[in-house]
Amino acid sequence: FQDINSMKTSSLKIQEILGSISDAFYALDHRWNFTYFNKEAENLLKRKRSEVLGKNIWKEFAPAKGTSLEKAYRKVVKTGKPLSFEYLYPGDDSWYEINVYPSGGGVSIYFKNIDERKKVAFKLQQAYEEKNNILESIGDAFFAVDKDWIVTYWNKEAEKVLGRKREAILGKNLWEIFADAVELDFYKQYHLAMKTGNTVSFEEYYPTLSKWFEVSAYPNEEGLSVYFKDVSLRKEIDIQILQANERFEKVTQATTDAIWDWDLEQNILYRGNGFDKLFGYNVTKNLKKKDFWHDKFHPEDIEEVKNSLDEAIKSSSEEFWRKEYRIIHQNGDLKTVVDKGVIIRDAKGNAIRMVGAITDITDRIKYEQELQDLNELLKVNIRELEITNEQLEQFAFIASHDLQEPLRMITSFLNQLERKYKDQLDEKANQYIHFATDGAKRMKQIILDLLEYSRAGREQYPLEEIDLNQLIKDYKILRNTLISEKKVVIQTKNIKKIKAFSAPLTQTLHNLLDNAIKYSKKGTPPKITISLTDKKSHWQLKVEDNGIGIDERFFDKIFVIFQRLHNKEDFDGTGIGLAVSKKQVESWGGKIWVKSKPGKGSAFYFTINKPIL
Ligand code: ADP
């Protein structure tokens, strides 16, 4: 026998040590048979030590055969170097951390189950991926920097919006890459967030890309997370709206009209400054519908205005509303206004907004009233004039008939007196008889002229096409003797056919031509020019002569009945011609006037309105 006490003691000691280590442990000899299998190994691999000791590992744990585990064991045996690795054992689908050491031609294995750790790592990985997915999928651009401004994250949208690839940016200093933003609000705001630990949100224009960004930066343990998006389009619209509103403001200031803008959806009415002037006090500028009619609208009109407005809004097609009504100014004055509004509708036809203006038409209404009053007055005057004219006509009638009769008697008895007692009377008496006869003759002429004048322009004639050339030819034939006696020359300029009233036109032209011949200079043959000018709305006829002319002082006087500038010894006549002509011309709505220089000649003008087509 042998004393194996010390050997036994150390072997037991080894057993004790091996059994006490908390890691699972087993050992294999050079034939892959188990030489050791500790308690923890029993627990983890669910096999009894008695079952496996002396047995081959690839038989007892067949699922491991041919896997990375076998390869690793063989490698350790071959190289004599230990190995550590993680291994998923197909036999129980568990993860193990395995440490393999070479020992006595075989291997010693320490291992532990790392399912929990794996699970946590997996979850971590999953959470990480999830976070990344979120960061990638959010519509916003996103990046993160650490406390030294080194970029740690840069999502796809950030790549797109800022035009920088992730690879080119990760790990770099933000302000080195975006040096152009150092002067801008971005720099200030991010630093503020980082310094104070408070979130910042702001909008800022980035000139390098000509873009507006809406930015939120969240400081955290690692540094700063920044979310941002391109809001250039919205900003542009905002600016446009702002400008449009500004324009609207300016218009409301510039116009004297009271401008209003009613948002039917929000039920807010905005009123411009014009309202203050309209009502004479500072009206509320922003109000709700229920307060619309609190100002001084005329109580008699207000219901009708409300109803008509409601009706216009309810109809799905009405685009315009207009209403005249009265309001009461602060000073008590009643004002008439016209209120006009454009109705803006949505696709369904619902009114969503109305913009309008109130115009004070009090003065216009007053003016219209005055005009109407004036018209009434004019009508009365015309009536009175008609009566006066009628009376004149009657007077002329009486004059022509009743006065002519006694006149004729005077003339005939004067004739008889002359004939029968001529020889018995002395020369003086005969001369008196002659004066009396002459006076009676003149009186007769005056009566006839008066009658003609009272009739002139009273009759209605049809509008005809008149050949002025023919009219002048007819005149020449009529006054043939006179024309050849006085060697009269009549010229025409631009004469053509025009629409006019034949009889009064003929009479007027004859009168003017007669005068042009009559009032010629002694020894100078009359030279007359008749010309026609187209004045768009009317024709203008001119009869020009080279006669004695008229002093400017008498330009008006000569058109008055019985007004003459000469006695009948120098020039025969009664002073009726131009008065009649004036009446004729005015009867068709024309005008007649004269331009003249004494000793040089005269030009008589008159107009004929063109018919309105
Ligand atoms: P009457 O010729 O019978 O006197 P009118 O009414 O025709 O009456 O003319 C009024 C006055 O106007 C004339 O007396 C004359 O003094 C002046 N008159 C008219 N036509 C001419 C003319 N062409 N040239 C100069 N004077 C004229």
Side-chain angles (χ1 to χ4, degrees):
F1 63 91
Q2 241 177 4
D3 179 5
I4 56 163
N5 184 48
S6 66
M7 198 181 87
K8 195 70 185 167
T9 315
S10 62
S11 142
L12 280 172
K13 265 239 158 76
I14 289 170
Q15 299 243 342
E16 201 182 296
I17 291 166
L18 290 175
S20 71
I21 56 173
S22 62
D23 274 1
F25 170 78
Y26 61 81
L28 300 168
D29 61 17
H30 68 283
R31 282 202 221 102
W32 306 109
N33 290 334
F34 284 101
T35 57
Y36 200 86
F37 203 82
N38 83 343
K39 264 254 165 308
E40 188 59 19
E42 282 187 332
N43 284 340
L44 290 182
L45 298 175
K46 309 264 178 330
R47 294 294 297 272
K48 284 277 163 222
R49 162 199 188 135
S50 50
E51 291 165 14
V52 297
L53 276 184
K55 304 264 176 67
N56 185 286
I57 185 173
W58 312 123
K59 278 189 189 128
E60 294 307 313
F61 295 92
K65 175 129 184 77
T67 66
S68 57
L69 190 79
E70 192 187 345
K71 279 180 205 141
Y73 286 5
R74 285 186 189 280
K75 195 172 173 190
V76 172
V77 171
K78 201 173 162 193
T79 60
K81 281 185 186 152
L83 268 181
S84 293
F85 54 92
E86 285 178 352
Y87 175 65
L88 178 70
Y89 174 48
D92 61 2
D93 256 339
S94 286
W95 277 95
Y96 297 94
E97 186 187 283
I98 297 174
N99 296 291
V100 194
Y101 299 91
S103 75
V107 284
S108 297
I109 293 107
Y110 298 86
F111 65 103
K112 58 181 170 204
N113 185 294
I114 55 162
D115 276 348
E116 269 317 300
R117 200 174 85 193
K118 268 288 182 196
K119 222 189 276 170
V120 170
F122 179 71
K123 277 217 178 107
L124 213 66
Q125 176 70 23
Q126 231 179 3
Y128 180 73
E129 271 168 19
E130 209 169 296
K131 182 190 113 192
N132 282 5
N133 280 342
I134 290 169
L135 291 178
E136 290 305 327
S137 63
I138 49 172
D140 285 2
F142 170 81
F143 69 83
V145 289
D146 67 12
K147 293 219 184 293
D148 297 321
W149 303 103
I150 302 300
V151 179
T152 57
Y153 200 94
W154 194 261
N155 81 349
K156 277 246 161 352
E157 188 64 17
E159 287 188 331
K160 207 163 97 191
V161 173
L162 291 174
R164 303 285 183 117
K165 282 274 159 218
R166 185 195 308 243
E167 305 80 68
I169 272 186
L170 283 182
K172 304 255 168 72
N173 185 301
L174 184 71
W175 303 118
E176 274 167 23
I177 290 159
F178 292 99
D180 50 0
V182 170
E183 290 296 309
L184 303 173
D185 233 20
F186 297 110
Y187 186 86
K188 251 181 268 156
Q189 296 279 4
Y190 294 167
H191 276 80
L192 187 73
M194 198 85 107
K195 205 170 114 194
T196 61
N198 293 331
T199 304
V200 293
S201 294
F202 60 96
E203 283 181 1
E204 168 80 339
Y205 185 68
Y206 184 41
T208 313
L209 293 176
S210 309
K211 279 179 181 169
W212 274 94
F213 290 112
E214 184 187 271
V215 188
S216 294
Y218 302 90
N220 51 41
E221 300 266 290
E222 276 83 44
L224 200 63
S225 302
V226 179
Y227 296 83
F228 61 105
K229 61 176 163 213
D230 179 357
V231 290
S232 305
L233 201 67
R234 170 172 64 73
K235 242 347 213 206
E236 214 168 273
I237 291 166
D238 279 357
I239 289 167
Q240 274 172 12
I241 290 173
L242 211 69
Q243 283 172 343
N245 273 345
E246 238 169 55
R247 265 203 300 276
F248 179 68
E249 277 296 318
K250 288 272 172 321
V251 169
T252 59
Q253 281 167 17
T255 172
T256 52
D257 287 0
I259 304 244
W260 50 269
D261 186 351
W262 178 20
D263 182 340
L264 278 90
E265 287 177 312
Q266 305 289 322
N267 190 18
I268 293 171
L269 177 73
Y270 164 78
R271 308 199 286 193
N273 293 336
F275 274 85
D276 296 347
K277 205 179 148 216
L278 201 63
F279 283 101
Y281 56 87
N282 285 350
V283 302
T284 321
K285 298 289 176 337
N286 285 298
L287 54 165
K288 299 243 171 238
K289 182 170 187 204
K290 64 177 170 50
D291 302 321
F292 276 20
W293 308 106
H294 284 184
D295 290 297
K296 286 189 175 170
F297 293 89
H298 198 290
E300 279 173 27
D301 295 355
I302 198 159
E303 273 314 307
E304 209 186 308
V305 179
K306 279 190 203 171
N307 290 342
S308 104
L309 184 62
D310 283 349
E311 221 170 88
I313 287 169
K314 275 193 199 118
S315 124
S316 60
S317 58
E318 209 74 70
E319 284 177 348
F320 196 69
W321 173 75
R322 184 186 196 279
K323 191 79 193 151
E324 256 182 56
Y325 55 86
R326 290 167 298 168
I327 61 160
I328 303 157
H329 190 267
Q330 184 73 351
N331 65 13
D333 283 356
L334 210 59
K335 284 182 177 241
T336 310
V337 299
V338 57
D339 199 345
K340 289 175 281 186
V342 179
I343 307 169
I344 301 160
R345 297 180 185 279
D346 64 13
K348 286 188 207 135
N350 297 323
I352 51 169
R353 188 176 168 191
M354 260 187 100
V355 180
I358 304 178
T359 314
D360 182 354
I361 55 165
T362 315
D363 287 345
R364 201 183 82 199
I365 296 277
K366 214 167 100 193
Y367 176 71
E368 278 170 7
Q369 187 57 47
E370 277 171 8
L371 215 67
Q372 207 173 333
D373 291 349
L374 209 68
N375 257 342
E376 287 302 322
L377 197 73
L378 221 65
K379 270 186 204 160
V380 172
N381 280 349
I382 288 172
R383 181 77 205 116
E384 277 171 3
L385 215 68
E386 271 171 7
I387 293 168
T388 316
N389 260 349
E390 248 164 57
Q391 284 168 346
L392 188 72
E393 180 95 330
Q394 271 170 8
F395 166 72
F397 184 79
I398 291 163
S400 65
H401 285 88
D402 296 13
L403 283 182
Q404 275 187 77
E405 192 46 39
L407 193 62
R408 228 176 277 131
M409 215 151 81
I410 293 169
T411 317
S412 82
F413 279 106
L414 279 173
N415 282 344
Q416 291 215 21
L417 200 65
E418 195 186 18
R419 215 171 350 115
K420 283 197 183 161
Y421 303 101
K422 194 177 179 183
D423 300 334
Q424 290 160 37
L425 293 172
D426 64 9
E427 199 172 321
K428 205 155 208 137
N430 273 322
Q431 205 180 3
Y432 289 165
I433 290 170
H434 174 73
F435 286 153
T437 314
D438 197 43
K441 220 191 271 170
R442 275 199 5 242
M443 188 165 175
K444 189 184 170 191
Q445 188 56 48
I446 288 172
I447 289 168
L448 287 175
D449 286 349
L450 200 61
L451 191 64
E452 190 192 342
Y453 178 75
S454 78
R455 288 216 182 105
R458 286 185 66 83
E459 255 168 275
Q460 297 277 329
Y461 297 95
L463 202 60
E464 294 170 56
E465 186 159 84
I466 293 162
D467 185 350
L468 285 173
N469 271 313
Q470 188 57 47
L471 204 150
I472 293 159
K473 264 186 210 161
D474 292 346
Y475 176 82
K476 284 179 181 167
I477 295 166
L478 191 72
R479 297 280 189 261
N480 182 27
T481 330
L482 184 70
I483 288 171
S484 47
E485 257 176 32
K486 289 207 162 191
K487 299 193 173 62
V488 181
V489 179
I490 299 178
Q491 291 176 326
T492 58
K493 244 193 230 166
N494 264 341
I495 292 301
K496 55 176 93 169
K497 288 181 186 171
I498 59 166
K499 281 236 153 96
F501 302 101
S502 174
L505 174 64
T506 310
Q507 197 181 0
T508 303
L509 210 58
H510 278 206
N511 258 341
L512 296 181
L513 290 169
D514 282 351
N515 280 349
I517 297 172
K518 182 164 45 165
Y519 298 103
S520 58
K521 282 183 278 196
K522 277 207 174 75
T524 311
K527 194 172 159 197
I528 306 167
T529 312
I530 307 165
S531 45
L532 182 73
T533 319
D534 189 344
K535 295 276 186 188
K536 287 209 169 119
S537 68
H538 60 267
W539 297 104
Q540 180 180 291
L541 261 157
K542 178 163 95 167
V543 178
E544 202 174 6
D545 62 46
N546 58 345
I548 59 171
I550 306 160
D551 192 313
E552 200 178 338
R553 282 176 297 162
F554 308 122
F555 280 2
D556 289 331
K557 193 181 168 185
I558 54 171
F559 291 101
V560 178
I561 185 169
F562 299 139
Q563 295 290 338
R564 317 196 59 228
L565 304 181
H566 310 277
N567 57 41
K568 68 179 176 55
E569 278 71 38
D570 294 337
F571 295 98
D572 190 28
T574 54
I576 187 88
L578 288 179
V580 169
S581 297
K582 184 168 153 68
K583 256 187 111 180
Q584 306 275 33
V585 171
E586 284 174 355
S587 79
W588 70 58
K591 276 187 197 147
I592 185 164
W593 68 98
V594 67
K595 278 185 188 166
S596 179
K597 281 235 159 68
K600 290 253 160 70
S602 315
F604 282 83
Y605 299 81
F606 67 94
T607 63
I608 302 162
N609 289 339
K610 289 185 183 174
I612 297 155
L613 297 173

